Amino acid sequence: MEFRKVLALRGPNIWANFPVIEAWVDLGELNDKGSDEIPGFNERLMSWLPSMVEHRCSVGERGGFFERLRRGTYLAHILEHVTLELQALSGVEVSYGRARSTAEHGVYKITFKYKEETHAKACLEAARELCLAAVNNTPFDVAATVEKLTDLAESRLLGPSTNAIVQAARRRNIPFHRLNRHSLVQFGYGSKQRRIRAAETDQTGSIAESIAQDKDLTRQLLQAAGVPVAEGYVVDDAEDAWSTAQSIGVPVVVKPQDGNQGRGVATNLTTEEQVKAAYAAASEESSSVMVEKFAQGHDYRLLVVGDKLVAAARREPAQVMGDGVHTIEYLVDVLNQDPRRGEHHAKALSKVHIDQVALNVLTDQGYTPQSAPAKGEVVYIRRNANLSTGGQAIDVTDQVHPEVAARAVDAARVIGLDITGVDIIASDITVPLEEQGGIIVEINAAPGLRMHLAPSVGDPRPVGEAIVDLLYKPEENGRIPIVAVTGINGKTTVTRFVAHLLKGNGKRIGMTCTDGIYVGDRRIDSGDCSGPLSARNVLMNPNVDAAVFETARGGVLRAGLAFNECDVAVVTNIGEGDHLGLSDINTPEDLAKVKRVIVDVVGENGTAVLNATDPLVVGMAPHCPGKVMYFAIDGDHPVLAAHRREGGRAIFVRDGEIVVSEEGREQVITTVGRVPLTYKGRIAFEVENTLAALAAAWCLGIPNETLAVRSSTFGSDMSKVPGRFNILEIKGATVVVDYGHNMDALKAMISALETFPGKRRVALYSAAGDRRDADMVAMGKLIGGYFDRVILYEGHYMRGRKQGEIIDLFRKGMEGTSKAKQVEGIIGPVAAVEHTLNTLEPGDVVLLQADEIDETMDYMRHYLAKMDHAPEPLEVKFHEPHGPDLEADEDVPVMMAPARVYMTWEYCNGVYAEAPLGAKPY
């Protein structure tokens, strides 16, 4: 039972729309043994984990999983259930799990929901050890394992305060992302993001926090504002502490000047011995110690969020009640067994510890930890009532007098905090402080919320909701527009095109694709950035107003999506598939399920833009929670036409015009001829890419006029879409540089090349080593049947194959073809490109496949720059506009850009022109 790999799918994935762990487990010889065939296995497992009787499994009723055990089930299925149970026993309730076989004999994928990754993986490993112990009839300490997993969970999960805010945000559909293993959390995306750390926000001022940390300065500021406070002073040493206590009158409080969570605080001190001992304890927490006048009354905590009191609790110190038999130490141990108590602030109450402060408190009462107090005798373990030192809370929110609430809000304003814990000593919270001698004793930044979320007595208060309401207005959800693009071919072009269109609306666009990460016009990362990590980086960037993500299969399979909802999901095509045979994705149908993940997470008000001509893409429509918009060149395509008849959204071409239809109404956006990317409509797949991109932007509400203008400035030159059907004229030859590397892309490319006249067809081609042998052979056959000259090469993407193996597979496919008269093989992408360019002949039509995008495009730019001169453009035509953009019926030519000249649209002195990039205004 060995793990091949364990993946954390942190976002929506092929299994579910929530995070899951996916483990690939090789059962080895255990694959052939069911649970009913292993002597004693079921009995051991059920005795070790009797609570699994609650697992209903496929039987659908209590005890269902145990029934499956008795009938006989496989070990991967059992491993799934044991992992879920260990999570539950260690305090993490999750219910989703699956176990499925793979194409490889004896290897299974098990998946299960989780809340904290490290803890979930530890439960998986412990479940494996438990299952093997049950198989081999060896001892297994379930109790010790659960205790260890529980401690891990409590140390790694979000604490109650942070979790309450996160859950409140979740209920408002505000996305969140934990930024570290502690309590730092980001809500929202891009420019709409906010951050918290427990009960601190990104608007909690550092100056206000430093003031609150300084107890003496806080007291002075509150006193100046007319807020009742205790008389107190900073002292130099133990002798000064006692002298000050005598001066202001006992009883007194001794506390660190800059402490928190009640550490080092001692109250109601009356003797010199008590004061000096308390000074020593406080000195361990801070270099500066205060002595204050002790106020009689109850200890209250009031929570102020913004300018409102949202919760209040009366706190009682940690205490035990004697039974006349057991020691205080024993009674504390019993108290700590309360399941509500835990360490690390992980639970509603904290465990009680007998430390030096507690020993001093016991001594003052005439006890030691070994004392056995009389029955009914209350023994205090602490004088202060902080929950962090074991105290408990009673909710009194509805009892707070308005004037008391007003003083708490005044105190928060004086200090300048947005979330404030105000500590009050008063005899009666229903009476104004001034009338009873009540005082505010402390102001707390980042106040704990546990006492309000799960008070020992009284109702929980929605403090998490109050904090989220402080961060976001009722109509806000922290989201920015997100467009996700996937498919087999055209992803990068559509992604770049959509980003280009959205920029026309004045948005700061974040984009990820196989060429890098872009924010605005700046490339901030290079290489293949089509996975969730890159997308997450964009969503964390506060300079991003909208995001467009190319979403590749590999990232979805490895880690899920970076977002849990998108506004538009674009699926370009599935066709015959690509990357088949990897990660147990063996058929186009398997691949379609992976690609469908972005459709699954379209928001209720969002849209899936789907290719009407691809049956596997059309099959995704029922899974879309929002609307569906089909695209196809032919407006009469059966799928698109039926959708239009039902009032659905569609985009298509009619008489050269790009038309959008919804509920029977049609709008013309532009003409195909005005979109340089399509080469006047000659390149069918670029027309499809244009339709997909325009549909996505239209669904986001970009005005048609903006779409028309922006689409007229997007071409397939190397600056906008490097390695995507870039056309150059070099030495009298037409060179098409393209990244396409699968059968569907190759077929589309050959179809496009048919529109270019030439004497000889030349292909420079390769593929990554993880393609199946059959796929390479098939592509070789297609290449050999069309091109006159073929240069095969191998780059860096060998992925386990030996040198020359890829070339040999392509050659095998070309055997017996009648077209290819010259076939060469070269090692290295740059050497292959250089050889191809140096051996060009006038009239050649060349497909230069750039499997190594950055390396190939850098070389192409270098090669073109070395040429002696830049030849004149083949054609420059001018058109007088009749408005903000060209009339739809104008004949806009498409010109081929010569070497070193990239095509663009320029608007110069009221005239639209196709001109070399960088040309002076006409």
Side-chain angles (χ1 to χ4, degrees):
M1 191 185 288
E2 299 295 333
F3 293 127
R4 293 280 187 87
K5 56 184 174 182
V6 178
L7 304 172
L9 309 184
R10 301 181 182 94
N13 51 78
I14 62 173
W15 301 95
N17 285 352
F18 46 76
V20 300
I21 297 293
E22 178 185 288
W24 291 55
V25 57
D26 185 348
L27 293 183
E29 62 183 21
L30 292 176
N31 182 61
D32 300 323
K33 294 182 179 180
S35 56
D36 60 333
E37 300 175 290
I38 305 172
F41 175 85
N42 289 343
E43 291 74 14
R44 286 186 286 275
L45 188 64
M46 290 188 285
S47 66
W48 288 346
L49 296 173
S51 51
M52 281 203 300
V53 71
E54 301 297 335
H55 292 213
R56 303 171 72 86
C57 200
S58 59
V59 177
E61 60 186 32
R62 185 175 185 269
F65 177 62
F66 282 179
E67 177 61 27
R68 288 291 307 275
L69 286 175
R70 296 185 187 99
R71 294 180 192 171
T73 189
Y74 54 104
L75 266 295
H77 180 214
I78 297 167
L79 180 63
E80 168 219 329
H81 277 270
V82 173
T83 303
L84 289 172
E85 186 62 17
L86 289 178
Q87 287 196 85
L89 292 173
S90 55
V92 180
E93 288 286 349
V94 289
S95 58
Y96 174 89
R98 296 289 186 273
R100 297 291 184 267
S101 61
T102 70
E104 183 178 354
H105 180 73
V107 177
Y108 295 80
K109 290 185 286 188
I110 72 165
T111 182
F112 53 89
K113 189 176 182 179
Y114 73 94
K115 291 185 179 179
E116 202 287 319
E117 185 176 323
T118 301
H119 172 257
K121 290 180 178 178
C123 288
L124 174 65
E125 183 59 42
R128 173 183 174 274
E129 293 173 3
L130 187 152
C131 287
L132 289 176
V135 168
N136 298 318
N137 192 18
T138 56
F140 189 87
D141 192 337
V142 176
T145 299
V146 170
E147 182 179 4
K148 180 179 178 181
L149 293 172
T150 301
D151 290 343
L152 179 61
E154 291 183 356
S155 67
R156 303 287 300 203
L157 287 167
L158 289 174
S161 297
T162 307
N163 188 57
I165 304 170
V166 166
Q167 296 308 318
R170 189 197 294 271
R171 286 188 285 272
R172 283 188 52 180
N173 196 29
I174 297 171
F176 69 93
H177 173 57
R178 190 173 181 177
L179 296 174
N180 61 15
R181 59 161 294 189
H182 302 292
S183 298
L184 185 62
V185 175
Q186 174 182 313
F187 293 124
Y189 296 142
S191 58
K192 303 296 185 181
Q193 69 179 268
R194 300 295 302 273
R195 292 174 183 168
I196 66 162
R197 184 174 59 192
E200 293 174 294
T201 79
D202 47 22
Q203 296 300 309
T204 303
S206 60
I207 292 178
E209 284 193 322
S210 65
I211 291 173
Q213 193 79 2
D214 188 330
K215 310 304 180 186
D216 188 45
L217 177 58
T218 296
R219 185 186 60 78
Q220 295 177 44
L221 291 175
L222 294 181
Q223 187 177 37
V227 176
V229 294
E231 181 182 3
Y233 303 95
V234 177
V235 297
D236 297 327
D237 51 36
E239 292 295 337
D240 190 22
W242 175 237
S243 175
T244 301
Q246 290 177 301
S247 174
I248 62 179
V250 294
V252 295
V253 176
V254 175
K255 62 184 180 181
Q257 184 181 357
D258 54 358
N260 54 49
Q261 297 182 344
R263 289 192 292 264
V265 178
T267 64
N268 199 17
L269 308 176
T270 58
T271 68
E272 179 177 4
E273 182 181 8
Q274 290 174 338
V275 170
K276 289 184 176 180
Y279 178 87
S283 297
E284 294 181 2
E285 299 292 334
S286 172
S287 59
S288 183
V289 177
M290 289 184 63
V291 175
E292 286 183 349
K293 179 68 176 177
F294 175 75
Q296 295 289 342
H298 297 292
D299 184 330
Y300 295 96
R301 163 63 64 84
L302 276 62
L303 180 67
V304 177
V305 177
D307 58 358
K308 296 179 181 178
L309 174 70
V310 298
R314 187 177 81 239
R315 300 183 296 185
E316 296 183 350
Q319 55 190 269
V320 295
M321 182 176 290
D323 60 6
V325 177
H326 295 98
T327 66
I328 293 172
E329 186 174 51
Y330 175 86
L331 295 172
V332 168
D333 287 341
V334 172
L335 186 69
N336 285 335
Q337 292 175 18
D338 184 338
R340 295 175 300 170
R341 293 188 181 272
E343 305 286 6
H344 315 293
H345 295 258
K347 295 190 175 181
L349 299 172
S350 294
K351 289 189 175 183
V352 178
H353 296 285
I354 301 180
D355 55 13
Q356 187 58 52
V357 173
L359 291 173
N360 293 341
V361 173
L362 291 176
T363 299
D364 293 341
Q365 300 170 85
Y367 294 118
T368 71
Q370 285 69 45
S371 301
K375 185 176 182 179
E377 184 77 18
V378 175
V379 178
Y380 289 98
I381 311 301
R382 279 288 200 281
R383 287 194 179 90
N384 69 303
N386 293 67
L387 260 68
S388 57
T389 56
Q392 59 182 359
I394 299 170
D395 180 72
V396 295
T397 304
D398 297 332
Q399 303 172 31
V400 178
H401 191 281
E403 285 300 312
V404 176
R407 295 295 81 73
V409 172
D410 287 344
R413 286 174 175 168
V414 168
I415 304 306
L417 292 169
D418 57 343
I419 302 174
T420 315
V422 181
D423 291 344
I424 291 177
I425 299 296
S427 298
D428 188 348
I429 201 68
T430 67
V431 177
L433 298 179
E434 293 82 356
E435 294 182 15
Q436 59 176 313
I439 58 172
I440 291 179
V441 295
E442 196 164 310
I443 299 297
N444 299 273
L449 307 180
R450 292 186 298 165
M451 69 188 77
H452 309 300
L453 296 168
S456 305
V457 178
D459 297 327
R461 298 292 169 172
V463 293
E465 286 79 355
I467 292 173
V468 172
D469 291 345
L470 178 70
L471 299 174
Y472 291 103
K473 297 177 182 178
E475 67 276 9
E476 296 176 334
N477 62 11
R479 296 182 182 274
I480 61 174
I482 292 177
V483 178
V485 183
T486 195
I488 296 303
N489 297 308
K491 300 188 300 297
T492 303
T493 298
V494 172
T495 298
R496 284 178 170 271
F497 202 166
V498 172
H500 177 80
L501 294 171
L502 297 187
K503 288 178 185 177
N505 212 32
K507 299 287 187 180
R508 296 173 295 178
I509 308 301
M511 179 186 71
T512 65
C513 62
T514 51
D515 303 331
I517 301 177
Y518 297 79
V519 175
D521 295 323
R522 179 171 169 246
R523 187 186 195 186
I524 65 173
D525 201 356
S526 60
D528 187 346
C529 296
S530 58
L533 179 60
S534 299
R536 188 170 291 114
N537 288 342
V538 167
L539 295 175
M540 291 170 58
N541 192 317
N543 298 314
V544 173
D545 299 319
V548 187
F549 299 134
E550 179 178 349
T551 308
R553 51 164 286 287
V556 175
L557 291 171
R558 287 191 301 271
L561 298 178
F563 47 89
N564 65 355
E565 186 176 302
C566 63
D567 298 272
V568 181
V570 180
V571 186
T572 59
N573 42 60
I574 299 295
E576 298 179 28
D578 193 13
H579 298 282
L580 300 181
L582 300 175
S583 300
D584 204 41
I585 305 300
N586 300 306
T587 66
E589 289 76 14
D590 292 340
L591 185 60
K593 184 178 179 181
V594 178
K595 300 290 186 179
R596 200 193 75 204
V597 172
I598 65 169
V599 175
D600 294 339
V601 299
V602 169
E604 292 182 359
N605 298 316
T607 306
V609 176
L610 306 178
N611 186 340
T613 67
D614 190 318
L616 289 176
V617 177
V618 173
M620 301 178 187
H623 299 274
C624 178
K627 296 180 180 180
V628 171
M629 184 173 191
Y630 285 117
F631 69 90
I633 295 175
D634 181 5
D636 294 324
H637 186 279
V639 171
L640 189 143
H643 190 61
R644 288 175 59 200
R645 284 194 297 270
E646 296 174 358
R649 294 177 170 183
I651 186 169
F652 54 93
V653 178
R654 179 199 291 144
D655 299 328
E657 294 179 330
I658 297 177
V659 182
V660 168
S661 173
E662 182 182 28
E663 296 181 350
R665 297 186 300 272
E666 294 185 354
Q667 308 168 37
V668 175
I669 294 180
T670 186
T671 64
V672 172
R674 289 197 62 252
V675 183
L677 181 69
T678 71
Y679 290 89
K680 206 174 180 181
R682 291 159 58 190
I683 312 302
F685 65 81
E686 295 290 30
V687 176
E688 292 181 330
N689 290 338
T690 297
L691 295 177
L694 287 171
W698 184 85
C699 289
L700 289 179
I702 305 300
N704 289 355
E705 296 78 9
T706 301
L707 296 179
V709 172
R710 295 297 292 178
S711 63
S712 71
T713 61
F714 189 81
S716 62
D717 58 78
M718 292 198 295
S719 64
K720 288 187 172 66
V721 280
R724 271 76 183 182
F725 209 78
N726 309 138
I727 301 180
L728 303 168
E729 183 174 298
I730 302 175
K731 300 178 181 179
T734 300
V735 179
V736 178
V737 183
D738 194 83
Y739 175 66
H741 51 247
N742 56 55
M743 181 63 80
D744 286 311
L746 183 56
K747 288 178 179 178
M749 198 57 52
I750 289 175
S751 177
L753 293 180
E754 281 291 298
T755 66
F756 292 88
K759 297 179 179 179
R760 185 176 64 160
R761 307 282 161 167
V762 180
L764 171 66
Y765 210 83
S766 185
D770 56 5
R771 296 298 191 281
R772 296 178 301 182
D773 290 3
D775 295 332
M776 294 191 196
V777 171
M779 286 190 284
K781 183 177 181 179
L782 186 60
I783 290 170
Y786 179 77
F787 292 94
D788 303 295
R789 179 191 178 201
V790 178
I791 304 106
L792 301 171
Y793 74 95
E794 292 179 348
H796 306 309
Y797 294 111
M798 300 302 292
R799 294 177 181 172
R801 292 191 184 269
K802 297 178 181 178
Q803 183 171 303
E805 187 177 351
I806 294 174
I807 292 175
D808 288 344
L809 287 169
F810 274 94
R811 285 183 181 273
K812 181 179 179 181
M814 296 172 64
E815 291 175 359
T817 59
S818 59
K819 187 74 172 174
K821 300 180 179 62
Q822 184 179 359
V823 180
E824 305 164 70
I826 296 179
I827 303 300
V830 171
V833 172
E834 183 176 30
H835 173 70
T836 302
L837 297 179
N838 289 340
T839 55
L840 290 176
E841 295 180 4
D844 281 351
V845 177
V846 182
L847 169 60
L848 196 154
Q849 193 251 11
D851 201 55
E852 308 269 1
I853 286 287
D854 282 347
E855 193 171 358
T856 300
M857 302 315 292
D858 287 345
Y859 176 78
M860 290 296 297
R861 295 184 183 97
H862 176 71
Y863 179 89
L864 296 173
K866 289 198 306 180
M867 296 183 67
D868 295 335
H869 65 282
E872 292 301 317
L874 300 179
E875 180 181 33
V876 177
K877 292 187 178 181
F878 301 85
H879 305 274
E880 292 293 339
H882 298 273
D885 48 31
L886 296 175
E887 291 292 333
D889 58 357
E890 289 198 44
D891 181 23
V892 182
V894 175
M895 81 172 200
M896 202 175 301
R900 295 203 299 118
V901 183
Y902 307 144
M903 193 167 66
T904 186
W905 283 94
E906 298 285 353
Y907 183 71
C908 306
N909 299 327
V911 178
Y912 279 94
E914 287 180 330
L917 184 64
K920 295 180 180 180
Y922 293 91

